[in-house]
């Protein structure tokens, strides 16, 4: 880069910056800036032509003013003119201004593209680099269309200088990431790959970033890079630190390039060519050997560079999973890091060993470090390291060490951080089930788990223990005895009461022969916990009582007395009252045979994937359950332990509590569609199964009087919802200012949407179209409100037909009630089977807070009076942003009306501005909102200002709107 001469100091710019820094107040700064803007404007419009230096100085001042946060609506043409200058500093400032201030939709883009083309064809390396940097910084689709064909030619040309090749490779990478469909390598592929053989290390480093990205999308086209990458890596690894002096970092030759080469190789399977594979294995062995050598420097930079290469090499060894010797050596090397004084190294070692533990070649080697990992779990000060230690214990567990690991995890649970307790509980439950040979140990472990961490034992865990006990005849008596003893503790967690009520209701007769656990003793023990429990648990206990009447006729009078008491048949909770009345009537009028048939023992559960595994699969990171582990869990846990989940379990387990037709089904007249045993809740107007919070019959939603399902935490299902699609936010933004359209479409499914809103209520129609000729089976949709959204939005859905014929369309109706203003959108999960394969996708339902706007007409005086009243800083949200679309007046008006507000004419003194007013209607309150949109057509920019009576509404609406213009 040319040196800047003394005359390029731009004294006027330095004086202006000094004046700004010396301003004592914001008003003084604005005054000085306005004065300077007026001066620059007059200079640009004056009759006297400005020389290059003056243009450069004034454009620099405009750039500085923009960076201070002020609008710049002129000077763009002068910046473009600077591009034609032959002076480096003038051209540099011109490109800098364009990179920061010119929008890709600007009318000047054609002039800019012409100037860039001139510089690219000038063969002046400095000018070529400036042009390439500008293309990469703007990175727009228009730039890609103009230069995507030119840049590869520059990159591979034999006479292109090395510095230009570096810039060209990184520029092409930027364009490929923004517009991959426009960057077509085609004939350039082999020549780009051969850049790995370039003599200049900087060119290789830049090129490998491009090749790695291209390889991830088109691995077959670039597979020839493997041998070249191995060759280059071999030369680096075998070189001395003096061989690559310019690229040696603290005695480590080319560490960044080495890491990138190792990462590129992870895009491909092991090389098929024996010579290439042998050379690569030799490289990896050399890297592992160098890790054992004493450090050549005590500086942290030296160890960081060495370890970066080492961990990348270990990642490649794990990726290949085909070299037992290397895997064991990698494991031993990581084992040394487990006791390193550097916390980050211990964390990375534990994380990598988690992956190594899944390899058949290195699993045994990982197990040798079990004591060190257990010690880390107990003594590490950093919670993230302790969590990785727990993940590694989980990964290294097998039949030989399961009891030891489960015991250590249970011991750690008593003092574990609250943030990781739930995940620890899930892992203990999975390991206890998966490796249980002695089922009495399994029952003891789960009950101990409930005792130690009852608050963190999710419903899936105790559902699962009940399913296994029901499926295993040999453990039912032991489970009944153990849970009976556990219930005798003075302080007993509610989850223990749930398990106890269920198991004693089913198998209490197996221990009734002992006077210490006679039927009345069992009943009295359960009933002593009744008043301490929540409503769902009380409902479960009432079901256990009616089971007792069937199992132990001698308890009938005592239990009927309890059911007959005012506290039951006149209970304020409709669910408990209904159960008490119906169970009392059932026990009074039904014969012994009828009672035995209605309340017969639960049948075994069919084999399904464990719901605990499905829940843990949500956890991301090294501790998450892999697909192979899930299959392993099905094989070892399912077949060994007698089956898994029952899907949603909606009918089966509820039937054990009352096999009679559902009371709620009678009330609603839905007997034909309601599952047997579903019951009515006490929550508002919605009628959900009593086990929605407390039992294996958990339904994902309740049913209201119109047959709608209310949103709720998902029930126990065999597959978890997928995470939202990467484009979910983009799809959501399309519907901020409109209510109808196509929400999602792929080769299988099209989802259309039509919605209407009034006050704080909305109704949405979703249309699911099968684009194939093959039937969709098991078609289910679930709407969920994550986190705090549950208390801000009430969503009710009508179920859809489970079968969608080829070419057919089904409709779903969704009712929405806005309880309070909200930020996030509800999630829509769709699952179905197509050709036997499960399709699982999650979208964001286009329900945004602006949908509940009611337009408000206001006169100019009233608008600005209210505007001044909303003057607190937290009541205002302002965004200044470049126009993302055309600035057509009619389109802008249509979008503002689509927002839901009233567009007020002749209110703003500036006729170019748009002002709107509306009130967001929620059940809790009304939030007034005023909006002002100031477009600047010349600069292709907007200033959007929102003021509302609630700060969260201002910020949310401004974020939503900024993406629309």
């Amino acid at each position: 880069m040319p040196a800047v001469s003394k005359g390029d100091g731009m004294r006027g710019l330095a004086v202006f910056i000094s004046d700004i820094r010396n301003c004592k107040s914001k008003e003084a700064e604005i005054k000085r800036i306005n004065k300077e803007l007026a001066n620059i404007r007059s200079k640009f419009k004056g009759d006297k032509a400005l020389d290059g230096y003056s243009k450069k100085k004034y454009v620099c001042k405009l750039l500085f003013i923009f960076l201070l946060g002020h609008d710049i609506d002129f000077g763009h043409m002068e910046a473009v003119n600077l591009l034609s200058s032959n002076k480096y500093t003038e051209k540099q400032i011109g490109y800098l201004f364009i990179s920061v201030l010119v929008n890709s939709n600007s009318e000047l883009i054609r002039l800019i593209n012409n100037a860039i083309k001139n510089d690219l064809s000038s063969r002046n390396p400095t000018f070529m680099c400036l042009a390439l940097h500008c293309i990469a910084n703007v990175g727009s689709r228009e730039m890609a269309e103009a230069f995507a064909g030119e840049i590869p030619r520059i990159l591979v040309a034999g006479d292109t200088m090395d510095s230009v090749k570096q810039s060209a490779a990184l520029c092409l990478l930027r364009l490929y990431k923004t517009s991959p469909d426009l960057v077509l390598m085609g004939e350039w592929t082999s020549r780009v790959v051969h850049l790995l053989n370039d003599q200049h290390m900087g060119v290789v480093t830049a090129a490998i970033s491009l090749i790695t990205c291209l390889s991830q999308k088109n691995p077959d086209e670039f597979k020839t890079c493997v041998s070249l990458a191995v060759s280059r890596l071999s030369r680096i690894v075998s070189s001395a630190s003096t061989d690559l002096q310019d690229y040696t970092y603290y005695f480590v030759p080319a560490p960044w390039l080495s890491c990138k080469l190792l990462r590129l190789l992870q895009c491909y399977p092991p090389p098929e060519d024996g010579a290439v594979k042998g050379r690569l294995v030799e490289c990896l062995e050399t890297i592992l050997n160098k890790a054992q050598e004493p450090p050549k420097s005590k500086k942290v930079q030296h160890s960081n560079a060495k370890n970066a290469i080492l961990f990348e090499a270990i990642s490649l060894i794990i990726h290949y999973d085909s070299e037992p010797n290397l895997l064991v050596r990698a494991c031993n090397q990581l084992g040394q890091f487990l006791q390193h004084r550097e916390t980050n190294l211990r964390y990375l070692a534990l994380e990598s060993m988690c992956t190594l533990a899944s390899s058949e070649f290195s699993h045994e080697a990982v197990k040798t470090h079990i004591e060190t990992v257990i010690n880390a779990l107990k003594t590490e000060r950093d919670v993230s390291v302790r969590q990785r230690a727990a993940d590694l214990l989980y990964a290294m567990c097998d039949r030989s060490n399961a009891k030891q690991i489960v015991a250590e995890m249970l011991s750690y649970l008593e003092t574990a951080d609250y943030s990781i307790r739930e995940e620890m509980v899930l892992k203990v439950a999975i390991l206890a089930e998966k490796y249980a040979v002695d089922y009495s140990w399994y029952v003891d472990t789960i009950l101990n788990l409930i005792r130690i961490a009852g608050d963190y034992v999710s419903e899936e865990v105790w559902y699962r223990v009940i399913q296994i006990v029901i499926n295993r005849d040999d453990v039912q008596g032991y489970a009944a005895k153990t849970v009976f003893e556990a219930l005798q503790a003075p302080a007993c967690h509610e989850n223990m009461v749930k398990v106890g009520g269920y198991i004693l209701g089913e198998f209490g007769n197996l221990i009734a022969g002992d006077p210490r656990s006679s039927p009345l003793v069992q009943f009295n023990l359960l009933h002593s916990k009744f008043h301490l429990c929540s409503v769902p648990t009380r409902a479960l206990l009432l079901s256990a009582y009616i089971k007792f009447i069937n199992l132990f006729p001698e308890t009938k009078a005592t239990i009927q007395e309890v059911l007959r008491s005012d506290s039951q048949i006149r209970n304020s909770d409709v669910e408990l009252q209904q159960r008490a009345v119906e169970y009392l009537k059932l026990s009074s009028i039904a014969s012994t045979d009828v009672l035995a048939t209605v309340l017969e023992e639960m049948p075994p559960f069919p084999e399904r994937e464990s719901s605990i595994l499905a829940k843990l699969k949500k956890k991301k990171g090294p501790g998450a359950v892999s697909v192979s582990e899930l299959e392993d869990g099905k094989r070892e846990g399912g077949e060994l332990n007698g089956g898994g989940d029952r899907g949603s379990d909606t009918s089966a387990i509820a039937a054990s509590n009352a096999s009679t037709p559902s009371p709620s089904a009678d009330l609603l007249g839905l007997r034909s569609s309601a599952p047997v045993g579903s019951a009515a809740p006490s929550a508002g107007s919605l009628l959900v199964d009593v086990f929605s919070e407390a039992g294996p019959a958990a339904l994902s939603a309740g049913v209201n009087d119109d047959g709608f399902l209310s949103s709720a935490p998902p029930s126990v299902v065999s597959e978890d919802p997928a995470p939202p699609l990467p484009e979910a936010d983009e799809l959501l933004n399309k519907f901020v200012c409109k209510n109808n359209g196509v929400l999602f479409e792929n080769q299988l499914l099209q989802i259309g949407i039509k919605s209407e809103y009034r006050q704080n209520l909305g109704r949405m129609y979703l249309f699911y179209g099968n684009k194939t000729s093959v039937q969709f089976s098991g078609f289910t949709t679930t709407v969920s409100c994550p986190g705090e959204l549950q208390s801000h939005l009430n969503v009710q859905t009508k179920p859809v037909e489970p079968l969608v014929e080829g070419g057919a369309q089904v409709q779903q109706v969704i009712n929405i009630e806005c309880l309070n203003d909200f930020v996030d959108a509800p999630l829509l999960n769709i699952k179905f089977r197509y050709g036997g394969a499960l399709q699982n996708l999650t979208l964001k339902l286009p329900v945004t807070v602006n949908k509940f706007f009611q337009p408000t007409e206001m006169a100019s005086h009233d608008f600005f009076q209210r505007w001044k009243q909303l003057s607190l800083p937290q009541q205002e949200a302002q965004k200044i942003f470049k126009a993302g679309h055309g600035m057509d007046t009619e389109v802008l008006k249509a979008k503002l009306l689509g927002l839901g507000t009233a567009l007020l004419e002749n209110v703003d003194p500036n006729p170019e501005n748009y002002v709107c007013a509306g009130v967001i209607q929620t059940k809790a309150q009304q939030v007034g909102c005023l909006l002002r949109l100031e477009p600047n057509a010349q600069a292709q920019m907007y200033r959007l200002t929102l003021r509302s009576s609630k700060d969260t509404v201002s910020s949310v609406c401004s974020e939503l709107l900024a993406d629309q213009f």
Side-chain angles (χ1 to χ4, degrees):
M1 187 179 289
V4 179
S5 65
K6 210 168 187 181
D8 289 328
M10 291 187 286
R11 184 173 175 275
L13 175 65
V15 170
F16 174 60
I17 293 173
S18 177
D19 289 349
I20 293 295
R21 288 177 176 171
N22 292 331
C23 289
K24 303 296 184 184
S25 64
K26 187 70 176 175
E27 289 74 16
E29 178 185 308
I30 292 172
K31 185 177 179 182
R32 179 67 182 90
I33 286 171
N34 287 337
K35 179 182 175 183
E36 192 63 40
L37 287 173
N39 176 51
I40 296 171
R41 201 185 295 269
S42 66
K43 294 289 184 183
F44 285 167
K45 289 185 176 179
D47 297 331
K48 186 179 177 183
L50 295 175
D51 58 11
Y53 171 80
S54 299
K55 280 184 185 177
K56 177 184 71 172
K57 180 177 67 176
Y58 293 134
V59 167
C60 257
K61 287 183 179 181
L62 291 176
L63 189 57
F64 179 72
I65 291 169
F66 176 78
L67 295 177
L68 289 176
H70 300 272
D71 290 342
I72 299 299
D73 55 3
F74 69 98
H76 299 73
M77 195 64 208
E78 284 70 19
V80 173
N81 290 338
L82 285 175
L83 300 185
S84 59
S85 171
N86 287 322
K87 284 191 176 180
Y88 168 76
T89 53
E90 293 173 10
K91 190 181 289 287
Q92 180 195 37
I93 295 302
Y95 275 124
L96 184 60
F97 186 93
I98 287 162
S99 298
V100 174
L101 271 160
V102 174
N103 186 275
S104 59
N105 296 324
S106 170
E107 297 170 357
L108 300 173
I109 203 71
R110 188 171 298 174
L111 291 174
I112 295 168
N113 285 352
N114 287 334
I116 291 174
K117 282 179 181 175
N118 291 336
D119 283 338
L120 289 179
S121 58
S122 69
R123 313 311 297 170
N124 181 321
T126 306
F127 293 173
M128 291 177 77
C129 285
L130 283 175
L132 290 167
H133 296 167
C134 180
I135 296 169
N137 286 332
V138 176
S140 65
R141 190 168 181 83
E142 290 75 12
M143 289 280 192
E145 288 173 348
F147 302 109
E150 176 72 9
I151 297 172
R153 186 187 60 76
I154 295 172
L155 176 61
V156 300
D159 58 345
T160 303
M161 289 189 66
D162 293 332
S163 59
V164 178
K165 283 185 178 179
Q166 289 175 256
S167 297
L170 296 176
C171 178
L172 199 57
L173 174 62
R174 162 72 168 157
L175 293 183
Y176 185 76
K177 287 182 174 179
T178 55
S179 306
D181 56 313
L182 297 177
V183 181
L184 305 173
M185 300 309 295
E187 59 184 299
W188 309 112
T189 300
S190 61
R191 298 175 70 181
V192 169
V193 168
H194 275 84
L195 288 173
L196 293 176
N197 275 336
D198 199 278
Q199 297 299 313
H200 194 277
M201 298 288 280
V203 173
V204 180
T205 306
I208 200 167
S209 297
L210 172 64
I211 294 168
T212 302
C213 186
L214 293 169
S215 298
Q216 288 168 348
K217 297 288 180 68
N218 307 293
D220 291 337
E221 288 184 31
F222 291 88
K223 62 184 177 183
T224 54
C225 71
V226 173
S227 59
L228 296 177
V230 171
S231 175
R232 175 63 78 171
L233 180 65
S234 176
R235 295 204 294 273
I236 295 172
V237 168
S238 59
S239 66
S241 57
T242 53
D243 295 344
L244 301 169
Q245 268 190 322
D246 291 342
Y247 287 88
T248 295
Y249 179 79
Y250 288 88
F251 304 101
V252 182
W256 283 275
L257 179 54
S258 300
C259 288
K260 288 186 175 186
L261 286 166
L262 290 163
R263 202 166 295 154
L264 171 61
L265 291 170
Q266 290 175 52
C267 298
Y268 292 93
E272 295 176 1
D273 188 319
V276 175
K277 186 174 182 181
R279 197 171 183 185
L280 177 56
V281 169
E282 189 181 326
C283 288
L284 295 172
E285 287 177 341
T286 306
I287 292 171
L288 292 174
N289 291 336
K290 285 187 175 182
Q292 299 288 343
E293 295 174 1
K296 296 179 181 178
S297 170
K298 293 183 178 179
K299 295 284 183 69
V300 67
Q301 292 92 336
H302 172 72
S303 60
N304 283 348
K306 253 178 84 171
N307 292 331
I309 297 171
L310 174 65
F311 277 102
E312 209 60 64
I314 290 174
S315 295
L316 180 60
I317 292 168
I318 294 169
H319 170 73
Y320 284 165
D321 194 21
S322 60
E323 296 293 329
N325 181 46
L326 288 177
L327 285 163
V328 172
R329 285 195 62 187
C331 181
N332 293 336
Q333 180 63 52
L334 292 172
Q336 295 176 20
F337 287 143
L338 291 180
Q339 295 177 315
H340 199 280
R341 59 184 177 85
E342 180 62 43
T343 305
N344 289 336
L345 276 181
R346 296 197 301 275
Y347 179 93
L348 290 170
L350 289 165
E351 189 176 49
S352 298
M353 287 185 85
C354 281
T355 317
L356 275 173
S358 62
S359 170
E360 60 177 313
F361 301 117
S362 55
H363 184 78
E364 291 300 320
V366 173
K367 282 166 58 179
T368 61
H369 300 284
I370 185 170
E371 295 300 333
T372 309
V373 179
I374 289 171
N375 186 57
L377 185 66
K378 293 177 179 177
T379 60
E380 276 290 349
R381 299 173 67 180
D382 191 311
V383 62
S384 61
V385 181
R386 291 199 297 274
Q387 186 164 4
R388 291 286 83 81
D391 293 339
L392 180 52
L393 283 175
Y394 175 77
M396 69 167 64
C397 188
D398 59 19
R399 294 199 187 285
S400 65
N401 57 17
K403 288 192 176 182
Q404 179 189 4
I405 288 177
V406 168
E408 292 292 349
M409 284 185 158
L410 281 172
S411 172
Y412 173 65
L413 255 177
E414 300 195 36
T415 56
D417 300 85
Y418 294 111
S419 59
I420 65 172
R421 283 195 180 187
E422 184 181 1
E423 187 177 341
M424 288 283 292
V425 166
L426 289 174
K427 288 179 174 175
V428 169
I430 291 169
L431 294 178
E433 176 188 342
K434 187 174 180 180
Y435 299 113
V437 177
D438 177 2
Y439 286 95
S440 59
W441 172 75
Y442 170 74
V443 171
D444 288 339
T445 300
I446 299 300
L447 295 184
N448 203 14
L449 196 61
I450 295 172
R451 180 185 62 79
I452 293 171
D455 289 337
Y456 299 90
V457 174
S458 61
E459 292 179 342
E460 288 85 354
V461 174
W462 74 265
Y463 293 174
R464 190 67 177 152
V465 70
I466 285 172
Q467 290 166 4
I468 289 173
V469 168
I470 287 174
N471 285 18
R472 301 290 306 188
D473 295 339
D474 56 340
V475 79
Q476 291 166 358
Y478 181 82
K481 176 177 176 292
T482 309
V483 80
F484 175 77
E485 292 170 353
L487 285 172
Q488 292 176 348
C492 189
H493 196 274
E494 188 168 335
N495 279 338
M496 188 72 80
V497 178
K498 293 174 184 176
V499 175
Y502 199 103
I503 290 179
L504 292 180
E506 289 290 330
F507 310 114
N509 59 309
L510 300 178
I511 60 170
D514 189 332
R516 292 172 297 179
S517 55
S518 64
L520 274 177
V521 172
Q522 290 183 43
F523 169 73
N524 289 330
L525 179 60
L526 283 176
H527 198 56
S528 66
K529 313 292 183 185
F530 188 89
H531 66 288
L532 300 171
C533 297
S534 62
V535 168
T537 307
R538 292 185 188 186
L540 186 148
L541 289 176
L542 289 178
S543 295
Y545 296 168
I546 191 67
K547 286 271 190 173
F548 269 39
I549 292 178
N550 178 47
L551 290 175
F552 315 115
E554 64 269 29
T555 62
K556 182 174 180 179
T558 306
I559 293 173
Q560 283 184 333
E561 192 61 35
V562 169
L563 294 174
R564 197 177 288 115
S565 63
D566 284 352
S567 61
Q568 302 303 334
I569 62 172
R570 295 184 180 178
N571 195 296
S572 58
D573 185 273
V574 65
E575 168 60 24
L576 295 180
Q577 182 190 111
Q578 186 170 341
R579 286 203 176 207
V581 170
E582 295 194 2
Y583 289 166
L584 179 61
K585 199 69 174 174
L586 178 65
S587 65
S588 302
I589 65 173
S591 67
T592 307
D593 292 340
V594 171
L595 203 60
T597 303
V598 171
L599 302 172
E600 65 184 354
E601 188 177 304
M602 276 293 294
F605 286 77
E607 182 179 329
R608 294 276 179 90
E609 176 188 299
S610 168
S611 58
I612 312 176
L613 282 165
K615 185 175 179 69
L616 185 61
K617 196 163 58 170
K618 293 178 185 176
K619 306 289 183 182
K620 300 300 179 188
V625 186
S626 66
V627 175
S628 61
E629 286 175 298
L630 287 171
E631 293 299 323
D632 197 29
K634 282 194 217 175
R635 183 174 63 254
E636 297 197 27
E639 294 176 5
L640 177 68
N641 295 336
D645 241 354
R646 318 187 92 201
S648 65
D649 295 337
T650 50
S651 60
I653 298 188
S656 74
N657 300 296
S659 299
T660 54
S662 160
S664 59
D666 292 340
L667 291 172
L668 296 170
L670 299 174
R671 192 186 296 266
S672 60
S673 59
V676 175
S678 59
S682 57
S685 64
L686 302 176
L687 299 173
V688 297
D689 187 88
V690 293
F691 291 109
S692 61
E693 293 181 5
L699 285 172
S700 63
V703 184
N704 72 3
D705 293 354
D706 297 320
F708 281 88
L709 301 174
S710 66
S711 66
S715 63
V716 185
V717 293
S718 58
E719 287 286 341
D720 279 342
L725 295 175
E727 63 269 30
D729 288 322
E730 182 182 341
L731 297 173
L732 175 73
N733 286 336
K734 286 167 49 180
F735 286 85
V736 170
C737 294
K738 67 176 184 177
N739 290 336
N740 307 328
V742 176
L743 175 62
F744 172 80
E745 186 170 8
N746 63 11
Q747 67 272 26
L748 302 179
L749 178 70
Q750 182 188 65
I751 304 175
I753 193 168
K754 184 177 180 182
S755 53
E756 53 188 7
Y757 295 85
R758 186 173 300 161
Q759 301 291 330
N760 69 316
L761 302 175
R763 173 162 284 191
M764 182 179 289
Y765 298 85
L766 292 174
F767 303 90
Y768 305 99
N770 183 346
K771 295 174 62 178
T772 73
S773 57
V774 180
Q775 181 190 71
F776 292 165
S777 61
F779 192 92
T780 58
T781 64
T782 308
V783 177
S784 60
C785 296
E788 296 181 355
L789 189 60
Q790 291 185 49
S791 58
H792 293 231
L793 211 60
N794 183 13
V795 182
Q796 299 174 339
T797 61
K798 269 193 173 178
V800 292
E801 290 295 323
L803 295 178
V804 184
E805 299 296 336
Q809 185 184 75
V810 294
Q811 175 183 309
Q812 183 176 32
V813 184
I814 300 177
N815 285 344
I816 304 155
E817 181 183 18
C818 181
L819 307 176
N820 214 327
D821 65 281
F822 56 94
V823 178
D824 296 318
L827 299 179
L828 170 66
N829 176 251
I830 303 114
K831 293 182 195 155
F832 59 92
R833 290 197 175 274
Y834 168 73
L838 178 68
Q839 308 293 321
N840 186 350
L841 59 98
T842 301
L843 304 165
K844 291 190 175 181
L845 206 61
V847 181
T848 48
V849 71
N850 66 285
K851 299 295 183 185
F852 301 96
F853 261 128
Q854 293 299 304
T856 305
E857 295 292 340
M858 301 178 77
S860 177
H861 172 74
D862 296 331
F863 178 90
F864 285 103
Q865 182 179 11
R866 180 60 178 155
W867 183 267
K868 290 176 182 177
Q869 290 172 353
L870 300 172
S871 58
L872 295 176
Q874 64 268 27
Q875 292 178 324
E876 178 179 288
Q878 187 175 89
K879 291 183 79 72
I880 299 172
F881 53 92
K882 288 186 177 182
H885 309 280
M887 301 181 77
D888 182 81
T889 304
E890 295 305 315
V891 173
L892 288 177
K893 287 183 178 179
K895 287 185 176 180
L896 290 170
L897 289 170
L899 181 68
T901 55
L903 182 60
L904 308 180
E905 303 283 355
N906 304 318
V907 169
D908 197 290
N910 185 344
E912 299 295 323
N913 295 344
Y914 302 88
V915 292
C916 302
V919 176
I920 290 180
Q921 302 278 352
T922 74
K923 188 175 182 181
Q925 60 183 333
Q926 296 183 340
V927 182
C929 188
L930 303 178
L931 178 152
R932 192 179 190 189
L933 182 68
E934 299 166 83
N936 185 327
Q938 185 176 355
Q940 289 289 300
M941 296 190 72
Y942 290 102
R943 177 162 62 191
L944 172 67
T945 310
L946 279 112
R947 293 186 180 181
S948 74
S949 53
K950 193 169 183 182
D951 53 349
T952 52
V953 171
S954 303
S955 59
V956 171
C957 288
S958 66
E959 290 293 336
L960 288 171
L961 271 177
D963 294 328
Q964 303 301 311
F965 301 106

